[in-house]
């Protein structure tokens, strides 16, 4: 039996999506399925072509039958791809023993939400930190209690799910499967039954489960108007900015989230860590219900951050009839390829018209627009009807104004931590290499190809420059072969400590797309580290006037970058002499503190 890679996704896009989710465990898949190993096929290719349709497991904690039952999908849908698009935002459980809502609420919401998704976070770092994947299972205790598991280096929940449960091992010191056994069912599966009971109790009437529409609205502060944040199903910089905004204005307004979560569904929820479960609606069938719910919440204003994955956000805005702001987080309003890059991940140029066909072909949605102008006509209402259009950088405002010269844009840098004064790098000895680090998930648009080429060049010519990635890449194995050390995915709160541990001499941002803002740069600035970046997008203006900073053309190849790094090492770092700071005015940062909630003076007039 075989299944299509995913509805609306080409095979290459499906492969990229699964690589981005980081939940397909190729070595485990090959070990588990002997026929795959014997065939010599690439494990991911096998999974996409036939394994998903045969309901094979992509990792030991993703049970496709369990997930398909929750999500209501049939055998024609790849369950892991569906999970990445729809299950993650709705916090569906990938395995009976992994409670995504519990894990997110307990560990990933304290500082405003996770930059990583719950199962990925648990498998990469959470279990090592002793984070529980459900209210019962204790990974630290399990490893301490069972020396053979500890010696094997196995992730503890995976071991319990595949062997320990069957062997009668305890999942925690305070949970004895033999005592928890229910009658004839015996001790096997006792933890699963216990967790199902907890879930039923949570969702019972009057519990802390998903509320009714009336209960959701009644839980808001009646003395405050409500501001609705509208966004897509993904996280990243959009999520971080929304959460920063929500925290900054929580004393004056209720903040509600309206989020597209895929397959025509919308999630209405609260952004606070202790908030109740969200209400999930069908965008088209439940339009009246959604409008009534948001009115009952005393909604006075919308702030649209992204309209990807909405079938018709314009219809919702018209039905609700409330003013809205629109923040430019990427170039989705003027291009179906929101980063303005070609198939190789490189900027197409300032004039988009000659590259219209390329941008349409690289559209992020399943539907490809006929022409660039047709796309822009469909998106124009966002810019034309918005009460305020906010650009986080002067470069973003300039790029939008090129298409809409009469638009009155507000340039306002995101709420962010204050940058630290640049700290001069350590003085290098004659044989000490310059340590260059990249931060985040390094894709083609973030400079992945030039990183691999530069590392290979330095290794081939024995040059004193070493490269590392504090984060992940599209192909960690390829980077390792090129000589790049890849440290792996991280939680946002752990980044300062990871940077301190890696102790780079320089942070490198070789972006080949025009960044709107860049929270990666924010992390480097907060750490006071020297920075080398391309002259594209918001990067040069945010680095204006800063010591220990270098700006290079975004078109620079690996040789040009390596030459710059060797010059930095010899002329600046070893000599202790910073270069002349780059000059370019940055975006003002007073808007959110002084003017963002200015509309409150007129709130309450709308029916």
């Amino acid at each position: 039996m075989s299944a299509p890679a995913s509805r609306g996704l080409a095979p290459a896009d499906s492969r990229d999506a699964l690589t981005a989710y980081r939940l397909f465990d190729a070595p485990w898949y090959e070990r588990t399925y002997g026929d795959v190993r014997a065939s010599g096929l690439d494990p991911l290719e096998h999974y996409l072509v036939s394994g998903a349709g045969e309901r094979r497991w992509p990792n030991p904690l993703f049970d496709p039958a369990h997930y398909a039952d929750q999500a209501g999908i049939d055998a024609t849908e790849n369950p892991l791809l569906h999970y990445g698009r729809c299950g993650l935002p709705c916090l569906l459980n990938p395995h009976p023993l992994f409670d995504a809502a519990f894990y997110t609420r307990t560990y990933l919401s304290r500082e405003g939400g996770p930059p990583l998704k719950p199962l990925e976070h648990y498998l990469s770092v959470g279990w090592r930190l002793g984070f529980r994947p459900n209210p019962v299972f204790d990974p630290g205790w399990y490893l301490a209690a069972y020396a053979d598991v500890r010696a094997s280096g196995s992730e503890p929940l995976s071991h319990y799910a595949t062997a320990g449960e069957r062997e009668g091992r305890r999942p925690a010191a305070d949970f004895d499967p033999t005592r928890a056994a229910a009658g004839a069912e015996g001790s096997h599966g006792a933890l699963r039954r216990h967790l199902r009971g907890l879930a039923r109790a949570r969702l019972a009437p009057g519990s802390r489960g998903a509320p009714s529409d009336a209960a959701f609205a009644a839980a808001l502060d009646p003395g405050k108007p409500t501001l609705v944040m509208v966004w897509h199903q993904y996280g990243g910089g959009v999520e971080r900015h929304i959460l920063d905004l929500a925290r900054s204005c929580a004393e004056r307004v209720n903040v509600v989230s309206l989020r597209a979560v895929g397959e025509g569904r919308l999630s209405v929820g609260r952004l606070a860590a202790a908030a109740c479960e969200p209400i999930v609606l069908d965008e088209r069938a439940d339009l009246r219900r959604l409008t009534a719910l948001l009115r009952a919440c005393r909604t006075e204003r919308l702030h649209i951050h992204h309209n990807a994955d909405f079938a018709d956000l314009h219809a919702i805005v018209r039905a609700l009839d409330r003013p809205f702001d629109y923040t430019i987080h990427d170039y989705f309003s003027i291009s179906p390829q929101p980063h303005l890059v070609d198939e190789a991940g490189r900027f197409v140029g300032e004039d988009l018209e000659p590259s219209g066909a390329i941008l349409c072909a690289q559209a992020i949605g399943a539907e490809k627009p006929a022409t660039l102008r047709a796309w822009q006509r469909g998106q124009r209402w966002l810019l034309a009807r918005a009460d305020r259009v906010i650009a986080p950088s002067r470069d973003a405002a300039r790029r939008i104004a090129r298409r809409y010269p009469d638009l009155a844009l507000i340039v306002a840098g995101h709420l962010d931590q204050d940058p630290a004064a640049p700290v001069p790098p350590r003085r290098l000895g004659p044989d000490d290499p310059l340590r260059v680090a990249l931060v985040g998930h390094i894709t083609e648009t973030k400079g992945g190809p030039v990183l691999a080429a530069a590392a290979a060049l330095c290794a081939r010519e024995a040059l004193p420059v070493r490269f590392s990635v504090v984060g992940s890449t599209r192909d960690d194995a390829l980077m390792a072969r090129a000589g790049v050390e890849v440290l792996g995915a991280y939680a946002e709160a752990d980044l300062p400590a990871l940077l301190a541990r890696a102790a780079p001499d320089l942070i490198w941002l070789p972006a080949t797309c025009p960044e709107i803002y860049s929270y990666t740069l924010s992390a480097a600035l907060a750490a006071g580290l020297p920075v080398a970046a391309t002259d594209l997008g918001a990067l040069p203006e945010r680095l204006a006037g800063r010591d220990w900073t270098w700006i290079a053309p975004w078109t620079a190849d690996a040789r040009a970058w390596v030459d710059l790094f060797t010059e930095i090492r010899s002329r600046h770092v070893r000599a202790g002499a910073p270069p002349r700071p780059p000059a370019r005015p940055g975006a003002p940062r007073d808007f959110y503190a002084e003017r963002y909630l200015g509309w409150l003076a007129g709130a309450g007039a709308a029916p």
Side-chain angles (χ1 to χ4, degrees), residues 103-261:
Y103 191 87
T104 300
R105 184 171 59 249
T106 306
Y107 303 114
L108 300 182
S109 296
R110 293 173 178 168
E111 298 300 326
L116 303 174
K117 305 308 178 185
L119 181 58
E120 178 186 346
H121 184 274
Y122 174 77
L123 289 173
S124 60
V125 296
W127 70 272
R128 301 177 193 276
L129 299 173
F131 290 1
R132 296 187 179 214
N134 61 56
V136 176
F137 188 85
D138 185 341
W141 181 89
Y142 193 82
L143 291 175
Y146 300 113
D148 58 326
V149 182
R150 185 172 66 250
S152 72
S154 299
E155 181 276 304
L157 183 63
S158 297
H159 180 275
Y160 180 80
T162 57
E165 183 180 31
R166 184 178 64 254
E167 295 164 359
R169 304 195 193 210
R170 288 190 178 200
D174 55 357
F175 188 93
D176 184 348
T178 59
R179 291 178 179 271
E185 291 179 298
S187 62
H188 182 64
L191 176 57
R192 298 174 191 238
R193 293 192 295 274
H194 179 72
L195 294 175
R196 286 198 298 270
L198 292 178
R200 284 194 296 270
R202 188 171 67 244
L203 295 176
S207 72
R208 296 182 62 222
S212 68
D213 295 6
F216 182 91
L220 301 175
D221 187 335
K224 299 175 183 176
T226 294
L227 171 64
V228 177
M229 301 291 188
V230 182
W231 54 312
H232 54 37
Q233 63 178 304
Y234 313 105
V238 174
E239 181 175 36
R240 176 167 171 178
H241 177 59
I242 288 173
L243 292 165
D244 286 343
L245 271 183
R247 281 193 295 267
S248 73
C249 58
E251 293 185 3
R252 302 180 66 189
V253 297
N254 298 306
V255 182
V256 167
S257 165
L258 173 60
R259 191 175 188 183
V261 293

